[in-house]
Short mmCIF file of all heavy atoms in Angstrom, two decimals:
data_model
loop_
_atom_site.label_atom_id
_atom_site.label_comp_id
_atom_site.label_asym_id
_atom_site.label_seq_id
_atom_site.Cartn_x
_atom_site.Cartn_y
_atom_site.Cartn_z
N MET A 1 0.87 -1.21 0.01
CA MET A 1 -0.02 -0.01 0.01
C MET A 1 0.86 1.24 -0.01
O MET A 1 1.77 1.39 0.83
CB MET A 1 -0.91 -0.05 1.24
CG MET A 1 -2.05 0.97 1.18
SD MET A 1 -3.00 0.98 2.70
CE MET A 1 -3.87 -0.55 2.58
N GLY A 2 0.66 2.12 -0.96
CA GLY A 2 1.48 3.35 -1.05
C GLY A 2 1.08 4.34 -0.01
O GLY A 2 0.11 4.16 0.75
N HIS A 3 1.77 5.48 -0.04
CA HIS A 3 1.56 6.53 0.97
C HIS A 3 0.16 7.08 0.87
O HIS A 3 -0.55 7.17 1.89
CB HIS A 3 2.58 7.62 0.70
CG HIS A 3 2.40 8.86 1.51
ND1 HIS A 3 2.89 8.99 2.80
CD2 HIS A 3 1.77 10.00 1.20
CE1 HIS A 3 2.57 10.21 3.22
NE2 HIS A 3 1.87 10.83 2.34
N SER A 4 -0.27 7.46 -0.35
CA SER A 4 -1.60 8.07 -0.54
C SER A 4 -2.71 7.06 -0.27
O SER A 4 -3.76 7.42 0.32
CB SER A 4 -1.70 8.64 -1.92
OG SER A 4 -0.71 9.57 -2.16
N ALA A 5 -2.51 5.81 -0.73
CA ALA A 5 -3.50 4.80 -0.52
C ALA A 5 -3.71 4.52 0.95
O ALA A 5 -4.83 4.38 1.41
CB ALA A 5 -3.11 3.47 -1.21
N LYS A 6 -2.60 4.58 1.72
CA LYS A 6 -2.70 4.34 3.15
C LYS A 6 -3.49 5.50 3.79
O LYS A 6 -4.34 5.29 4.68
CB LYS A 6 -1.30 4.23 3.73
CG LYS A 6 -1.36 3.99 5.22
CD LYS A 6 -0.04 3.59 5.82
CE LYS A 6 -0.27 3.16 7.22
NZ LYS A 6 0.78 3.31 8.10
N ARG A 7 -3.20 6.71 3.35
CA ARG A 7 -3.85 7.87 3.93
C ARG A 7 -5.36 7.80 3.65
O ARG A 7 -6.18 8.09 4.52
CB ARG A 7 -3.30 9.18 3.34
CG ARG A 7 -3.83 10.40 4.04
CD ARG A 7 -3.42 11.66 3.37
NE ARG A 7 -1.96 11.87 3.41
CZ ARG A 7 -1.38 12.99 3.63
NH1 ARG A 7 -2.09 14.07 3.81
NH2 ARG A 7 -0.07 13.13 3.64
N ARG A 8 -5.69 7.43 2.41
CA ARG A 8 -7.13 7.27 2.12
C ARG A 8 -7.79 6.22 2.93
O ARG A 8 -8.92 6.35 3.43
CB ARG A 8 -7.33 6.96 0.58
CG ARG A 8 -7.44 8.15 -0.27
CD ARG A 8 -7.88 7.81 -1.70
NE ARG A 8 -7.10 6.80 -2.30
CZ ARG A 8 -5.95 7.07 -3.02
NH1 ARG A 8 -5.59 8.30 -3.14
NH2 ARG A 8 -5.25 6.10 -3.53
N HIS A 9 -7.06 5.12 3.12
CA HIS A 9 -7.58 4.00 3.93
C HIS A 9 -7.80 4.42 5.38
O HIS A 9 -8.78 4.02 5.99
CB HIS A 9 -6.55 2.83 3.85
CG HIS A 9 -6.89 1.70 4.74
ND1 HIS A 9 -7.89 0.81 4.47
CD2 HIS A 9 -6.40 1.30 5.95
CE1 HIS A 9 -8.00 -0.10 5.43
NE2 HIS A 9 -7.09 0.18 6.36
N GLU A 10 -6.92 5.26 5.91
CA GLU A 10 -7.01 5.64 7.35
C GLU A 10 -7.94 6.82 7.57
O GLU A 10 -8.20 7.15 8.66
CB GLU A 10 -5.58 6.08 7.81
CG GLU A 10 -4.55 4.97 7.74
CD GLU A 10 -4.60 4.04 8.93
OE1 GLU A 10 -5.54 4.15 9.78
OE2 GLU A 10 -3.72 3.18 9.02
N LEU A 11 -8.44 7.43 6.48
CA LEU A 11 -9.23 8.64 6.64
C LEU A 11 -10.44 8.55 7.57
O LEU A 11 -10.63 9.45 8.40
CB LEU A 11 -9.67 9.18 5.20
CG LEU A 11 -10.19 10.59 5.21
CD1 LEU A 11 -9.15 11.57 5.72
CD2 LEU A 11 -10.61 11.00 3.81
N PRO A 12 -11.27 7.51 7.43
CA PRO A 12 -12.39 7.43 8.37
C PRO A 12 -11.99 7.41 9.81
O PRO A 12 -12.59 8.11 10.64
CB PRO A 12 -13.11 6.08 7.97
CG PRO A 12 -12.62 5.83 6.61
CD PRO A 12 -11.27 6.43 6.48
N ARG A 13 -10.92 6.67 10.13
CA ARG A 13 -10.42 6.64 11.50
C ARG A 13 -9.92 8.05 11.94
O ARG A 13 -10.19 8.51 13.04
CB ARG A 13 -9.29 5.63 11.59
CG ARG A 13 -8.69 5.45 12.95
CD ARG A 13 -7.53 4.47 12.97
NE ARG A 13 -6.43 4.93 12.14
CZ ARG A 13 -5.54 5.84 12.50
NH1 ARG A 13 -5.64 6.41 13.66
NH2 ARG A 13 -4.57 6.17 11.70
N MET A 14 -9.23 8.71 11.01
CA MET A 14 -8.68 10.02 11.35
C MET A 14 -9.76 11.06 11.51
O MET A 14 -9.64 11.98 12.32
CB MET A 14 -7.70 10.51 10.22
CG MET A 14 -6.47 9.63 10.07
SD MET A 14 -5.41 9.69 11.48
CE MET A 14 -4.67 11.30 11.25
N LYS A 15 -10.89 10.89 10.79
CA LYS A 15 -12.01 11.81 10.93
C LYS A 15 -12.65 11.67 12.30
O LYS A 15 -13.02 12.67 12.95
CB LYS A 15 -13.03 11.63 9.83
CG LYS A 15 -12.63 12.22 8.52
CD LYS A 15 -13.76 12.24 7.54
CE LYS A 15 -13.31 13.04 6.33
NZ LYS A 15 -14.29 12.99 5.24
N VAL A 16 -12.75 10.44 12.77
CA VAL A 16 -13.31 10.22 14.12
C VAL A 16 -12.45 10.92 15.15
O VAL A 16 -12.91 11.60 16.06
CB VAL A 16 -13.37 8.69 14.39
CG1 VAL A 16 -13.73 8.40 15.85
CG2 VAL A 16 -14.46 8.05 13.50
N LYS A 17 -11.13 10.76 14.99
CA LYS A 17 -10.16 11.37 15.90
C LYS A 17 -10.26 12.92 15.83
O LYS A 17 -10.27 13.61 16.87
CB LYS A 17 -8.75 10.89 15.59
CG LYS A 17 -7.62 11.72 16.19
CD LYS A 17 -7.24 11.14 17.53
CE LYS A 17 -6.11 12.01 18.10
NZ LYS A 17 -5.42 11.33 19.16
N ALA A 18 -10.38 13.45 14.61
CA ALA A 18 -10.43 14.93 14.45
C ALA A 18 -11.70 15.47 15.10
O ALA A 18 -11.65 16.57 15.69
CB ALA A 18 -10.39 15.27 12.93
N ARG A 19 -12.81 14.73 15.02
CA ARG A 19 -14.02 15.23 15.65
C ARG A 19 -13.92 15.17 17.20
O ARG A 19 -14.57 15.99 17.87
CB ARG A 19 -15.22 14.38 15.21
CG ARG A 19 -15.59 14.71 13.78
CD ARG A 19 -16.99 14.20 13.43
NE ARG A 19 -17.19 14.38 12.01
CZ ARG A 19 -16.96 13.42 11.11
NH1 ARG A 19 -16.62 12.23 11.52
NH2 ARG A 19 -17.12 13.64 9.81
N LYS A 20 -13.06 14.31 17.70
CA LYS A 20 -12.83 14.25 19.13
C LYS A 20 -11.96 15.45 19.57
O LYS A 20 -12.25 16.07 20.60
CB LYS A 20 -12.10 12.97 19.45
CG LYS A 20 -12.77 12.13 20.57
CD LYS A 20 -11.96 10.87 20.86
CE LYS A 20 -12.66 9.66 20.27
NZ LYS A 20 -11.88 8.46 20.48
N VAL A 21 -10.96 15.77 18.75
CA VAL A 21 -10.08 16.87 19.11
C VAL A 21 -10.76 18.22 18.92
O VAL A 21 -10.59 19.17 19.71
CB VAL A 21 -8.78 16.78 18.25
CG1 VAL A 21 -7.88 17.95 18.53
CG2 VAL A 21 -8.03 15.50 18.51
N TYR A 22 -11.53 18.36 17.79
CA TYR A 22 -12.22 19.60 17.51
C TYR A 22 -13.71 19.35 17.44
O TYR A 22 -14.24 19.22 16.36
CB TYR A 22 -11.76 20.23 16.18
CG TYR A 22 -10.28 20.57 16.12
CD1 TYR A 22 -9.38 19.79 15.39
CD2 TYR A 22 -9.79 21.68 16.77
CE1 TYR A 22 -8.05 20.12 15.32
CE2 TYR A 22 -8.42 22.00 16.72
CZ TYR A 22 -7.57 21.23 15.99
OH TYR A 22 -6.25 21.59 15.96
N PRO A 23 -14.40 19.22 18.62
CA PRO A 23 -15.81 18.81 18.65
C PRO A 23 -16.70 19.81 17.91
O PRO A 23 -17.79 19.46 17.46
CB PRO A 23 -16.13 18.74 20.13
CG PRO A 23 -14.87 18.87 20.84
CD PRO A 23 -13.86 19.45 19.95
N HIS A 24 -16.30 21.09 17.82
CA HIS A 24 -17.14 22.10 17.20
C HIS A 24 -17.12 22.01 15.68
O HIS A 24 -17.93 22.66 15.02
CB HIS A 24 -16.69 23.49 17.65
CG HIS A 24 -15.27 23.79 17.26
ND1 HIS A 24 -14.25 23.27 17.91
CD2 HIS A 24 -14.83 24.56 16.22
CE1 HIS A 24 -13.12 23.73 17.35
NE2 HIS A 24 -13.47 24.47 16.31
N MET A 25 -16.21 21.23 15.13
CA MET A 25 -16.03 21.19 13.69
C MET A 25 -16.53 19.89 13.13
O MET A 25 -15.76 18.89 13.13
CB MET A 25 -14.58 21.46 13.34
CG MET A 25 -14.41 21.47 11.87
SD MET A 25 -13.27 22.69 11.21
CE MET A 25 -13.31 24.06 12.25
N ASP A 26 -17.83 19.84 12.67
CA ASP A 26 -18.42 18.58 12.20
C ASP A 26 -17.76 18.05 10.95
O ASP A 26 -17.75 16.86 10.72
CB ASP A 26 -19.93 18.83 11.92
CG ASP A 26 -20.77 18.40 13.11
OD1 ASP A 26 -20.16 17.83 14.12
OD2 ASP A 26 -21.96 18.62 13.10
N THR A 27 -17.20 18.97 10.10
CA THR A 27 -16.69 18.53 8.83
C THR A 27 -15.37 17.77 8.94
O THR A 27 -14.93 17.11 8.03
CB THR A 27 -16.49 19.72 7.92
OG1 THR A 27 -15.66 20.68 8.62
CG2 THR A 27 -17.81 20.34 7.50
N ALA A 28 -14.71 17.87 10.12
CA ALA A 28 -13.41 17.25 10.36
C ALA A 28 -12.41 17.60 9.27
O ALA A 28 -11.71 16.73 8.70
CB ALA A 28 -13.56 15.74 10.50
N LYS A 29 -12.36 18.89 8.92
CA LYS A 29 -11.58 19.26 7.71
C LYS A 29 -10.06 19.15 7.96
O LYS A 29 -9.29 19.20 7.02
CB LYS A 29 -11.96 20.65 7.23
CG LYS A 29 -11.55 21.78 8.11
CD LYS A 29 -12.02 23.09 7.47
CE LYS A 29 -11.17 24.25 7.91
NZ LYS A 29 -11.68 25.54 7.33
N TRP A 30 -9.62 19.05 9.24
CA TRP A 30 -8.20 18.94 9.51
C TRP A 30 -7.84 17.50 9.83
O TRP A 30 -6.84 17.25 10.49
CB TRP A 30 -7.79 19.83 10.67
CG TRP A 30 -8.07 21.27 10.41
CD1 TRP A 30 -7.86 21.95 9.20
CD2 TRP A 30 -8.58 22.27 11.29
NE1 TRP A 30 -8.24 23.28 9.32
CE2 TRP A 30 -8.69 23.45 10.57
CE3 TRP A 30 -9.01 22.24 12.64
CZ2 TRP A 30 -9.15 24.64 11.20
CZ3 TRP A 30 -9.50 23.40 13.17
CH2 TRP A 30 -9.56 24.56 12.49
N ALA A 31 -8.65 16.50 9.35
CA ALA A 31 -8.40 15.15 9.72
C ALA A 31 -7.06 14.64 9.26
O ALA A 31 -6.46 13.77 9.88
CB ALA A 31 -9.52 14.27 9.05
N ASN A 32 -6.52 15.21 8.17
CA ASN A 32 -5.26 14.77 7.62
C ASN A 32 -4.11 14.95 8.62
O ASN A 32 -3.20 14.14 8.72
CB ASN A 32 -4.95 15.53 6.38
CG ASN A 32 -5.10 14.67 5.14
OD1 ASN A 32 -5.30 13.47 5.26
ND2 ASN A 32 -5.16 15.29 3.97
N HIS A 33 -4.13 16.09 9.32
CA HIS A 33 -2.93 16.48 10.12
C HIS A 33 -3.29 17.04 11.48
O HIS A 33 -2.38 17.29 12.28
CB HIS A 33 -2.13 17.51 9.32
CG HIS A 33 -2.99 18.46 8.59
ND1 HIS A 33 -3.70 19.43 9.21
CD2 HIS A 33 -3.30 18.55 7.27
CE1 HIS A 33 -4.39 20.12 8.35
NE2 HIS A 33 -4.17 19.59 7.13
N LEU A 34 -4.58 17.36 11.77
CA LEU A 34 -4.98 17.94 13.07
C LEU A 34 -4.42 19.30 13.35
O LEU A 34 -4.46 19.76 14.46
CB LEU A 34 -4.70 16.97 14.22
CG LEU A 34 -5.46 15.68 14.24
CD1 LEU A 34 -5.05 14.89 15.49
CD2 LEU A 34 -6.97 15.94 14.30
N LYS A 35 -3.81 19.92 12.35
CA LYS A 35 -3.24 21.25 12.57
C LYS A 35 -4.31 22.25 12.17
O LYS A 35 -4.68 22.31 10.99
CB LYS A 35 -2.00 21.42 11.70
CG LYS A 35 -1.29 22.73 11.91
CD LYS A 35 -0.06 22.75 11.02
CE LYS A 35 0.82 23.95 11.15
NZ LYS A 35 0.22 25.22 10.84
N GLY A 36 -4.78 23.06 13.11
CA GLY A 36 -5.88 23.93 12.88
C GLY A 36 -5.52 25.35 12.58
O GLY A 36 -6.33 26.12 12.12
N CYS A 37 -4.32 25.78 12.92
CA CYS A 37 -3.96 27.15 12.64
C CYS A 37 -2.46 27.30 12.43
O CYS A 37 -1.69 26.30 12.56
CB CYS A 37 -4.42 28.08 13.79
SG CYS A 37 -3.43 27.96 15.26
N SER A 38 -1.98 28.48 12.08
CA SER A 38 -0.58 28.67 11.87
C SER A 38 -0.05 29.84 12.67
O SER A 38 0.69 30.70 12.21
CB SER A 38 -0.34 28.89 10.36
OG SER A 38 -1.14 29.96 9.92
N CYS A 39 -0.51 29.93 13.95
CA CYS A 39 -0.03 30.97 14.81
C CYS A 39 1.40 30.63 15.25
O CYS A 39 1.95 29.60 14.90
CB CYS A 39 -0.94 31.14 16.05
SG CYS A 39 -0.76 29.77 17.25
N ASN A 40 2.01 31.51 16.02
CA ASN A 40 3.41 31.35 16.38
C ASN A 40 3.69 30.17 17.26
O ASN A 40 4.82 29.70 17.36
CB ASN A 40 3.97 32.62 16.98
CG ASN A 40 4.33 33.65 15.94
OD1 ASN A 40 5.03 33.28 14.98
ND2 ASN A 40 3.87 34.83 16.11
N MET A 41 2.65 29.64 17.92
CA MET A 41 2.85 28.45 18.76
C MET A 41 2.71 27.17 17.99
O MET A 41 3.33 26.18 18.33
CB MET A 41 1.87 28.50 19.97
CG MET A 41 2.28 29.47 20.98
SD MET A 41 0.95 29.80 22.13
CE MET A 41 -0.17 30.75 21.13
N CYS A 42 1.91 27.19 16.90
CA CYS A 42 1.64 25.97 16.17
C CYS A 42 2.48 25.83 14.94
O CYS A 42 2.66 24.76 14.45
CB CYS A 42 0.18 25.95 15.76
SG CYS A 42 -0.98 26.11 17.11
N CYS A 43 2.99 26.98 14.41
CA CYS A 43 3.61 26.87 13.12
C CYS A 43 5.06 26.32 13.19
O CYS A 43 5.59 26.12 14.30
CB CYS A 43 3.70 28.30 12.49
SG CYS A 43 5.02 29.33 13.21
N ASN A 44 5.66 26.13 12.06
CA ASN A 44 7.02 25.67 11.98
C ASN A 44 7.92 26.81 12.47
O ASN A 44 7.90 27.93 11.93
CB ASN A 44 7.30 25.37 10.50
CG ASN A 44 8.68 24.79 10.25
OD1 ASN A 44 9.54 24.92 11.11
ND2 ASN A 44 8.87 24.23 9.13
N PRO A 45 8.75 26.56 13.54
CA PRO A 45 9.59 27.64 14.05
C PRO A 45 10.52 28.22 13.01
O PRO A 45 10.95 29.41 13.13
CB PRO A 45 10.42 26.98 15.15
CG PRO A 45 10.24 25.49 14.95
CD PRO A 45 9.00 25.30 14.18
N ARG A 46 10.88 27.44 11.97
CA ARG A 46 11.72 27.94 10.89
C ARG A 46 11.07 29.09 10.21
O ARG A 46 11.76 29.95 9.66
CB ARG A 46 11.96 26.76 9.98
CG ARG A 46 13.25 26.89 9.12
CD ARG A 46 13.27 25.75 8.13
NE ARG A 46 13.61 24.48 8.74
CZ ARG A 46 14.84 24.06 9.13
NH1 ARG A 46 15.81 24.86 8.87
NH2 ARG A 46 15.03 22.91 9.69
N ARG A 47 9.75 29.15 10.12
CA ARG A 47 9.02 30.17 9.40
C ARG A 47 8.48 31.26 10.32
O ARG A 47 7.83 32.15 9.88
CB ARG A 47 7.89 29.58 8.58
CG ARG A 47 8.38 28.48 7.66
CD ARG A 47 7.51 28.26 6.49
NE ARG A 47 7.99 27.09 5.74
CZ ARG A 47 7.47 25.94 5.83
NH1 ARG A 47 6.40 25.71 6.57
NH2 ARG A 47 7.95 24.89 5.14
N SER A 48 8.72 31.15 11.62
CA SER A 48 8.19 32.07 12.54
C SER A 48 8.98 33.36 12.57
O SER A 48 10.17 33.33 12.53
CB SER A 48 8.13 31.48 13.95
OG SER A 48 7.78 32.45 14.90
N LYS A 49 8.23 34.49 12.69
CA LYS A 49 8.94 35.78 12.73
C LYS A 49 9.41 36.10 14.15
O LYS A 49 10.08 37.07 14.43
CB LYS A 49 8.05 36.86 12.22
CG LYS A 49 7.78 36.76 10.73
CD LYS A 49 7.14 38.00 10.16
CE LYS A 49 7.04 37.92 8.66
NZ LYS A 49 5.96 36.98 8.23
N LEU A 50 9.00 35.27 15.13
CA LEU A 50 9.40 35.47 16.53
C LEU A 50 10.86 35.16 16.75
O LEU A 50 11.47 35.66 17.66
CB LEU A 50 8.53 34.64 17.45
CG LEU A 50 7.17 35.16 17.80
CD1 LEU A 50 6.52 34.19 18.82
CD2 LEU A 50 7.16 36.56 18.31
N PHE A 51 11.39 34.25 15.90
CA PHE A 51 12.75 33.77 16.13
C PHE A 51 13.70 34.31 15.08
O PHE A 51 13.27 34.74 14.03
CB PHE A 51 12.76 32.25 16.07
CG PHE A 51 11.86 31.60 17.07
CD1 PHE A 51 10.82 30.83 16.65
CD2 PHE A 51 11.99 31.81 18.42
CE1 PHE A 51 9.96 30.19 17.52
CE2 PHE A 51 11.12 31.20 19.34
CZ PHE A 51 10.14 30.41 18.88
N SER A 52 15.00 34.27 15.38
CA SER A 52 15.98 34.66 14.41
C SER A 52 17.26 33.92 14.69
O SER A 52 17.47 33.39 15.79
CB SER A 52 16.22 36.18 14.46
OG SER A 52 16.78 36.51 15.73
N GLY A 53 18.10 33.80 13.70
CA GLY A 53 19.42 33.24 13.87
C GLY A 53 19.34 31.74 14.22
O GLY A 53 18.60 30.98 13.56
N ASP A 54 20.08 31.31 15.27
CA ASP A 54 20.16 29.93 15.65
C ASP A 54 18.81 29.37 16.03
O ASP A 54 18.59 28.20 15.95
CB ASP A 54 21.14 29.73 16.83
CG ASP A 54 22.61 29.75 16.33
OD1 ASP A 54 22.82 29.75 15.12
OD2 ASP A 54 23.48 29.75 17.22
N GLU A 55 17.91 30.24 16.55
CA GLU A 55 16.62 29.77 17.00
C GLU A 55 15.78 29.18 15.85
O GLU A 55 14.79 28.52 16.12
CB GLU A 55 15.87 30.88 17.73
CG GLU A 55 16.49 31.24 19.04
CD GLU A 55 15.87 32.51 19.62
OE1 GLU A 55 15.64 33.47 18.84
OE2 GLU A 55 15.60 32.51 20.82
N LEU A 56 16.11 29.54 14.64
CA LEU A 56 15.38 29.02 13.48
C LEU A 56 15.62 27.59 13.21
O LEU A 56 14.87 26.94 12.49
CB LEU A 56 15.66 29.88 12.24
CG LEU A 56 15.09 31.29 12.23
CD1 LEU A 56 15.53 32.05 11.02
CD2 LEU A 56 13.55 31.24 12.33
N LEU A 57 16.75 27.06 13.76
CA LEU A 57 17.11 25.67 13.50
C LEU A 57 16.30 24.75 14.44
O LEU A 57 15.86 25.18 15.51
CB LEU A 57 18.60 25.48 13.76
CG LEU A 57 19.54 26.28 12.93
CD1 LEU A 57 20.97 26.04 13.34
CD2 LEU A 57 19.38 25.92 11.44
N THR A 58 16.11 23.52 14.00
CA THR A 58 15.45 22.56 14.86
C THR A 58 16.44 22.12 15.96
O THR A 58 17.63 22.34 15.82
CB THR A 58 15.03 21.33 14.08
OG1 THR A 58 16.21 20.69 13.54
CG2 THR A 58 14.09 21.71 12.95
N MET A 59 15.89 21.57 17.04
CA MET A 59 16.73 21.08 18.14
C MET A 59 17.72 20.10 17.66
O MET A 59 18.90 20.11 18.08
CB MET A 59 15.81 20.49 19.23
CG MET A 59 16.53 20.21 20.56
SD MET A 59 17.37 21.63 21.24
CE MET A 59 15.94 22.60 21.82
N GLN A 60 17.32 19.22 16.73
CA GLN A 60 18.21 18.22 16.15
C GLN A 60 19.41 18.89 15.47
O GLN A 60 20.55 18.46 15.62
CB GLN A 60 17.44 17.39 15.17
CG GLN A 60 17.96 16.02 14.94
CD GLN A 60 17.03 15.23 14.00
OE1 GLN A 60 16.10 15.80 13.45
NE2 GLN A 60 17.25 13.99 13.96
N GLU A 61 19.13 19.92 14.71
CA GLU A 61 20.22 20.58 13.98
C GLU A 61 21.12 21.33 14.95
O GLU A 61 22.33 21.40 14.74
CB GLU A 61 19.59 21.58 13.01
CG GLU A 61 19.00 20.94 11.77
CD GLU A 61 18.03 21.85 11.02
OE1 GLU A 61 17.60 22.86 11.59
OE2 GLU A 61 17.73 21.52 9.86
N ARG A 62 20.59 21.91 16.02
CA ARG A 62 21.44 22.58 17.02
C ARG A 62 22.35 21.61 17.72
O ARG A 62 23.50 21.89 17.94
CB ARG A 62 20.55 23.29 18.07
CG ARG A 62 19.99 24.61 17.57
CD ARG A 62 19.23 25.30 18.66
NE ARG A 62 17.86 25.57 18.25
CZ ARG A 62 16.93 26.01 19.08
NH1 ARG A 62 17.20 26.28 20.31
NH2 ARG A 62 15.72 26.21 18.62
N ARG A 63 21.83 20.40 18.02
CA ARG A 63 22.65 19.41 18.66
C ARG A 63 23.80 18.93 17.72
O ARG A 63 24.90 18.78 18.16
CB ARG A 63 21.82 18.21 19.05
CG ARG A 63 21.33 18.30 20.48
CD ARG A 63 20.76 17.00 20.98
NE ARG A 63 19.50 17.27 21.63
CZ ARG A 63 18.32 16.85 21.22
NH1 ARG A 63 18.18 16.10 20.16
NH2 ARG A 63 17.25 17.13 21.90
N ALA A 64 23.46 18.79 16.45
CA ALA A 64 24.44 18.32 15.49
C ALA A 64 25.52 19.40 15.37
O ALA A 64 26.74 19.06 15.27
CB ALA A 64 23.77 18.03 14.13
N ALA A 65 25.16 20.66 15.37
CA ALA A 65 26.12 21.72 15.24
C ALA A 65 27.01 21.79 16.44
O ALA A 65 28.22 22.00 16.37
CB ALA A 65 25.42 23.05 15.02
N ALA A 66 26.42 21.56 17.66
CA ALA A 66 27.22 21.61 18.88
C ALA A 66 28.19 20.41 18.93
O ALA A 66 29.28 20.54 19.46
CB ALA A 66 26.24 21.53 20.08
N ALA A 67 27.77 19.31 18.37
CA ALA A 67 28.64 18.09 18.43
C ALA A 67 29.75 18.20 17.45
O ALA A 67 30.79 17.54 17.56
CB ALA A 67 27.80 16.83 18.15
N ALA A 68 29.59 19.06 16.42
CA ALA A 68 30.58 19.17 15.37
C ALA A 68 31.90 19.87 15.84
O ALA A 68 32.93 19.65 15.26
CB ALA A 68 30.02 19.90 14.18
N TYR A 69 31.77 20.65 16.93
CA TYR A 69 32.97 21.39 17.40
C TYR A 69 33.68 20.64 18.54
O TYR A 69 33.11 19.88 19.22
CB TYR A 69 32.55 22.80 17.84
CG TYR A 69 32.07 23.63 16.73
CD1 TYR A 69 30.72 23.99 16.63
CD2 TYR A 69 32.96 24.06 15.72
CE1 TYR A 69 30.29 24.77 15.56
CE2 TYR A 69 32.51 24.87 14.67
CZ TYR A 69 31.17 25.17 14.58
OH TYR A 69 30.74 25.92 13.54
ZN1 ZN B 101 -2.01 27.99 16.73
#
């Protein structure tokens, strides 16, 4: 089963979960990923305007950089 086929197969289960997480949203439109907004707390820190410089890197990348020296 490929990636997309698996996602289609899991969709009914994911919709049930999405309705549990967002009870006010009957359409379960975020069933794919459960991400409902792109505010500074939910978004990718790399794209956030709150951070700059080293803070834009993921924790994994910061650890790798620290280990390199
Ligand atoms: Zn948010």
Side-chain angles (χ1 to χ4, degrees):
M1 193 184 287
H3 172 85
S4 301
K6 181 166 188 208
R7 188 187 296 220
R8 272 193 304 273
H9 174 75
E10 300 276 7
L11 193 59
R13 182 183 61 77
M14 296 295 285
K15 280 191 174 174
V16 170
K17 167 90 181 197
R19 286 197 190 96
K20 232 180 255 178
V21 176
Y22 299 107
H24 61 283
M25 182 139 330
D26 263 356
T27 53
K29 72 180 206 183
W30 299 320
N32 255 348
H33 38 72
L34 291 181
K35 184 179 182 299
C37 76
S38 54
C39 73
N40 278 311
M41 285 166 287
C42 305
C43 78
N44 184 343
R46 204 183 288 278
R47 303 206 186 99
S48 172
K49 291 194 173 73
L50 280 185
F51 304 118
S52 64
D54 281 354
E55 290 172 316
L56 287 176
L57 299 175
T58 62
M59 191 55 72
Q60 203 174 13
E61 286 163 342
R62 281 185 237 172
R63 266 193 227 116
Y69 295 109

